Amino acid sequence: MEQDYGELDEYAALQKYITTYRDPKAAAEEDPEAAAADVHKGKPWWAFWRSGSSPKAAAGDPGAVPAEWLTAHITEGIGHADVEPRRKRFGYNEITTEKESMFKKFLGYFMGPILWVMEIAALLAFGLRDWVDAGVICGILILNAAVGWYQEKSAQDVVDSLKGDIAMKATVVRDGQEEDILARELVPGDIIIIEEGQSVPGDARLICGYDSPDDFQKFKDLREKDEFADASDPDNEKKDDSEEDGEGEVQHEGHSIIATDQSAITGESLAVDKYMGDVVYYTTGCKRGKAYAVVITSAKHSFVGRTASLVSGAQDQGHFKAIMNNIGITLLVLVMFWILLAWIGGFFRHLKIATPEDSSINLLHYALILLIVGVPVGLPVVTTTTLAVGAAYLAQQKAIVQKLTAIESLAGVDVLCSDKTGTLTANQLSIREPFVSEGEDANWMMAVAALASSHNIKSLDPIDKVTILTLKRYPKARDILRQKWKTQKFTPFDPVSKRITAIVTLDGDTYTCAKGAPKAVLALTDCSQETADLFRDKSAEFARRGFRSLGVAYKKNDGPWILLGLLSMFDPPREDTAQTIVEAQHLGVPVKMLTGDAIAIAKETCKMLALGTKVYNSQKLIHGGLSGTTQHDLVERADGFAEVFPEHKYQVVEMLQQRGHLTAMTGDGVNDAPSLKKSDCGIAVEGASEAAQAAADIVFLAPGLSTIVLAIKTSRQIFQRMKAYIQYRIALCLHLEIYLVTSMIIINETIRVELIVFIALFADLATVAVAYDNAHSEQRPVEWQLPKIWIISVVLGCLLALATWIIRGTLFLPNGGIVQNFGSVQEILFLEVALTENWLIFVTRGGKTLPSWQLIGAILGVDALATVFACFGWLSGGLYETNPPTTFVQRQDGWVDIVTVVVVWAYSIGVTIVIAIVYYLLNRITALDNMGRKDRTNKNPKIENILASLAQYSLEHDTGADGKGNYRLVPRAVEEEEDE
C-alpha cells in the first residue's frame, strides 16, 4: 500500500516512513493485520493452504483483524450494518466446543471398553449364526444408547434454557448509543464500556477512562506511532528489571485507568493496573475503574480462547470417570478369568469349538455367554443418565450445574467457606442514626458522604447506593446537592487506602470529600485527642452491635481535613441463613465465614447466625508468626476470618485442601473469583458478578444460601443412586459368572445363550429407572469406598449364585423338587435368575426411602415378561444331558405350570429377604463401613513445615555475564503490617 507523505514536512514524513515500513518479504509474518485486510481479494488456484483469498493473506493467524476495523470513535462506535459482515468472518464472540451432531453424539454411546466387549459378543453371535442372540445383543446396545442419548439431551435442554440467565453481558457503543447486549454478540472493532464488577467480555485494548473522553485523541496518536505492547501474552505487561536502559520494559501512558484480576490466566493474585493502550483479557474481572475499550479479536482467537483450544481434545471427566474405568477394567479382567476357567473345564469334557451349532454346549458359546453376563453394558449409560437427570433437577431448583462432575464433588464436601455480604446476609444495607462530630451538621455530613460516592446509577456499589438513597430522609442535604457542584476527580474504593475520595468544586472552591473505614478516615484528619477517642469508641460500639461504620471527612481548598462523623450501616442476615447453617452442620458440613468486615462485626454476625465465635483477624493468619502445621491447625479450628482480602480466602481454601478436606466456597463478588476457582466446588450465589459466575462450578439463581442445602442433599442422593446401581451390577456379573462357570465344569450345563441375552436385557431395562429413584441423603459427606463396594458386591454375588445352585439342586430329585406339575430346567433357572437379580436393586438402594413408582413399574414389568417366558417355554431349546443326569421328566416345549411359577416367585422372595438381611448386617460392621474412606484430616507436620519454609523464598531470574538466564531461590521481602 502506497503511503501519502505529500502534506508532511521532511522530518515528519521520515518519522512516518520509519514507523509504517514493513519488509514485503516478511509481510505475512510481521503484519497479520495488513494480511487480514487482504482476505477475499483473490488468490491463485494452487494456493489452497492460505487462510484467505489474497496472495498476501496470512495463513498463520486467522484471528488477525484489519487495522481499519479498530478505528471507531468512542462515542459513535461501529454501525449496526457493520456487525453482520464481521460476525460472518469471525463468528460469535464465545468459546464453544465444536458443535457435535446429534448423530455423532448417538454413535458416542457405542464407544468405550465395556461397549466394545458387547459389540465383540454381537459379532461372535453373528459368526455362530445365532441370529436371535445377535439381534437381541444389538437391541440392547441400541436401547442403551437411545435411552442415554435422550435422557442426557433432555437434561441438557433444561440446563441450557436457564443458562441464558447467567450469560455474560456487555455494554457496547453502536451508532452513537450505549446498549446492553450479550457478550457473545460482540464483534471485532466494537467500542465497549468496562467497569468494576463486570467480566471483560472480550480481548480489548483500553482507550481511555469513561470520565475522560478527551484522552481519545492521545490514544489515537499513540496508535499512530505504533507504541502499544503486543496483545498476545499477558506476561508481556511484567517489567523485566534485568534489562538495562529500560529495554524490554513496557512503557505506560498516564495513570492507571482500571485494574483487572488476571489470576486465572497468569497466576498473579493481585489486581493488575491497566493503562491506555493495554490489553484487557477475555473473562478476567474488572476490580476497579470504568473505561472505554475496543474489541481487538473474537473470543475464539483471544488469549483465553487460544489456550482453551490447546486442551479442547482432552475431555477430562475427573474423578468419577476414573472410578468408572476402574470398575469396568476390573470386570473385564474377571470375565477373561472366568472364560479361561470355563474353557479349561470344556477341554477336559472334550467340547468342540463351535459345534454342535444348535447347542450352547461348546467353547465359543461359553465365551459368548460369559461376555454377555460379565460386562455391564448399561453401566456407562445409567451413571451418565443419573448425573444428567440430577443436573436437570437442580436446574429446576434454580441451581445451574456448569460441570457435571461438580455434583460428585459437592456430595463429598465436608467444609463450606462462605462470603458474608450478599451470601449469609441480605446485602440490603440500611443507615441507622449517624454519629455526628460536635459542632458539625448532619445534613452537611450526609451531603459530603453522597459527594464521596459513585454517581454511576447503572452500577452502584451497595454502600454508595444506600448512602445516596438515605438522602430521602435528609431534604436539606438534597438541597445542598442541588447547587452547582462539579466533580473533578473520583477515586473508587481500594483495599489499600480503604476509602473513597472525590474532588469537587462549587463557586470557585475545591472540596475534597472522603468516605471509608473509620481508621483510614481518622488518619486523614488532625483532630483533637478527645474527638479521636470519642470517634474510636463510637466505631467500636457500632461494631459490637453488628453495625458497619463509615467515617466521613472533607477539606476545603488547602485547609485541614475536618472529621464530620460516622455512618452506621446494618446488613441483616437473611431470614433463612441461620436455619441453613444448622442444616449444613447436621449434614456434616461446618460453615466458615470469610468477610472483609471488622472482627467485631464478624463475631456479632456469627452470634446471630448460630455460628461459632472463634473468628480471627486475617493478620493473625498471615502476620501472626504462625507457619506450617500451626497455621493449618488455626484454619481448621476457626469458625471464620475477618478483614480478609481475596488472597486470604484463596489461602484458607488451599490450606483446608492440603489437610484432605473437600472444600466448597460460596461468593458473589469479583474478589471471590480466585477462591471459587480454587475450591473443589465453587458456588456463585444469586446476584453474583459475572466474574464469580464464570469461576464457579454451580451458579444459584435463587436468593440466599438455602439452595446449598438442597444442592448438597440432591448431590448425595444422586451419588447414592449411582453407588446402589454399581453394587447391584457388580453383584449381577459375579452371580452369573460364578454359577455358570461352576455348572459348566461340574455338570456340563449352562443357561442357553438366548435366555442369557434376555436376562442381560431385563437387567438393563429394569434399572434405567434408577435415575428417578427416591434415594436417601447420607448425613455425612460421601465418597467412593471401592474396597467396601467390592466386598459387599462379591458377598451378594456369591449368595445369589448359591441360591441358584440350591434351586438347581432340587431339580435333580426324582420328583423334580421345586417342580409341582411340570416344568423345564432352563425356564425355571431363567425365571429364578431374572427375579432375584431384578429385586437385588431394592436391596442395594437401601430401605431408608420407598422406591419410586418408576423403578417399581420398570421391575414389575420385566418380572411379568420373565414369567411369561417361563410359562410358555420361550427359547427353552432342547433338553440337556447333564452329569449326573436330571431324572424328572421335563416338557419338551419348555412350559412351566403356574403353581411351579408361584413357588419360584416365593423362593426368590425368600432369597431376596435373606440377602437384604446380610446386606444390612454388612453395613453394620464398623470396620467395613469405614473401609476405603479418605482421611479428612490429613495432617503431615513435616511436609507442612517444609512448604511453609519454602514459602519464605521466591524464585528469581536474572541474566549472567554470559547472557544465559539463571534461576535462584532468594528470601522474600518481609511485608510490613498495616498500622490501622
Side-chain angles (χ1 to χ4, degrees), residues 735-736 751 759 804 829-838:
H735 167 206
L736 284 175
I751 299 175
I759 287 174
T804 306
L829 288 177
F830 168 79
L831 180 59
E832 190 272 345
V833 168
L835 293 178
T836 54
E837 287 197 347
N838 284 341

Side-chain angles (χ1 to χ4, degrees), residues 649-657 663 665 675 678-679:
K649 295 181 181 181
Y650 186 96
Q651 191 171 6
V652 167
V653 170
E654 186 175 43
M655 287 184 182
L656 289 169
Q657 289 175 328
T663 307
M665 175 75 197
S675 49
K678 174 65 177 172
S679 63

Side-chain angles (χ1 to χ4, degrees), residues 341-593:
L341 281 186
W343 277 34
I344 291 172
F347 290 146
F348 278 100
R349 290 187 177 275
H350 307 293
L351 297 185
K352 305 295 184 182
I353 295 292
T355 55
E357 284 190 25
D358 59 347
S359 171
S360 293
I361 308 298
N362 58 61
L363 296 182
L364 283 181
H365 270 99
Y366 278 6
L368 176 61
I369 288 168
L370 290 171
L371 283 174
I372 293 169
V373 301
V375 181
V377 65
L379 180 63
V381 172
V382 172
T383 50
T384 301
T385 299
T386 304
L387 281 174
V389 170
Y393 176 76
L394 283 172
Q396 291 169 353
Q397 308 304 314
K398 302 295 184 181
I400 305 299
V401 178
Q402 304 201 106
K403 298 176 186 172
L404 272 184
T405 51
I407 295 175
E408 186 211 4
S409 299
L410 186 58
V413 159
D414 63 337
V415 176
L416 172 62
C417 297
S418 177
D419 179 45
K420 181 179 82 73
T421 306
T423 305
L424 299 177
T425 59
N427 199 16
Q428 294 176 350
L429 290 172
S430 60
I431 292 183
R432 304 302 176 92
E433 285 304 312
F435 162 69
V436 184
S437 298
E438 188 176 352
E440 300 298 336
D441 177 35
N443 289 290
W444 172 238
M445 184 179 83
M446 295 306 300
V448 169
L451 289 169
S453 301
S454 169
H455 299 157
N456 180 12
I457 306 301
K458 287 171 58 180
S459 58
L460 280 177
D461 174 88
I463 293 177
D464 288 345
K465 183 177 181 180
V466 72
T467 302
I468 292 170
L469 293 179
T470 303
L471 294 185
K472 290 180 181 179
R473 307 204 315 254
Y474 294 87
K476 291 184 179 179
R478 294 177 68 185
D479 290 339
I480 294 172
L481 289 182
R482 288 192 182 98
Q483 300 177 44
K484 297 180 179 180
W485 294 95
K486 296 287 185 184
T487 302
Q488 301 297 317
K489 182 181 179 183
F490 177 74
T491 305
F493 179 86
D494 72 85
V496 178
S497 67
K498 296 193 175 180
R499 64 175 180 268
I500 300 172
T501 55
I503 300 175
V504 294
T505 59
L506 176 66
D507 299 333
D509 291 319
T510 300
Y511 295 83
T512 305
C513 305
K515 176 183 71 178
K519 291 180 182 178
V521 172
L522 182 60
L524 289 174
T525 66
D526 191 19
C527 60
S528 66
Q529 186 64 39
E530 182 182 355
T531 303
D533 290 341
L534 180 60
F535 185 84
R536 291 192 190 95
D537 291 343
K538 207 67 182 176
S539 176
E541 179 191 333
F542 284 154
R544 283 193 300 273
R545 293 165 59 190
F547 296 164
R548 178 188 296 183
S549 52
L550 282 182
V552 182
Y554 81 102
K555 72 173 182 177
K556 183 176 181 180
N557 297 322
D558 294 327
W561 281 94
I562 298 173
L563 190 63
L564 293 174
L566 281 169
L567 302 179
S568 62
M569 290 178 291
F570 180 61
D571 183 12
R574 292 183 185 271
E575 293 180 1
D576 59 349
T577 300
Q579 180 62 29
T580 298
I581 290 172
V582 171
E583 290 183 18
Q585 290 169 338
H586 285 164
L587 292 172
V589 185
V591 178
K592 296 182 186 291
M593 183 175 73

Side-chain angles (χ1 to χ4, degrees), residues 919-938:
Y919 182 79
Y920 173 78
L921 294 175
L922 286 172
N923 280 286
R924 299 286 290 178
I925 301 172
T926 305
L928 183 60
D929 191 42
N930 292 319
M931 185 176 291
R933 279 196 177 273
K934 187 172 63 175
D935 184 4
R936 296 280 180 160
T937 54
N938 184 20

Side-chain angles (χ1 to χ4, degrees), residues 131 244 307 411 534 618 708 900:
W131 310 118
E244 295 181 4
T307 305
L534 180 60
S618 61
I708 197 169
T900 302

Side-chain angles (χ1 to χ4, degrees), residues 699-728:
V699 178
F700 289 166
L701 300 182
L705 201 59
S706 58
T707 313
I708 197 169
V709 172
L710 173 68
I712 290 173
K713 288 180 178 178
T714 303
S715 63
R716 292 184 185 178
Q717 288 169 350
I718 294 166
F719 184 93
Q720 180 62 28
R721 293 184 191 114
M722 291 191 295
K723 191 176 82 168
Y725 174 76
I726 287 169
Q727 283 185 327
Y728 156 86

Side-chain angles (χ1 to χ4, degrees), residues 735-754:
H735 167 206
L736 284 175
E737 285 170 342
I738 293 169
Y739 173 75
L740 292 175
V741 172
T742 51
S743 69
M744 289 169 185
I745 294 172
I746 296 171
I747 60 174
N748 194 32
E749 181 188 72
T750 184
I751 299 175
R752 295 189 75 237
V753 67
E754 288 86 352

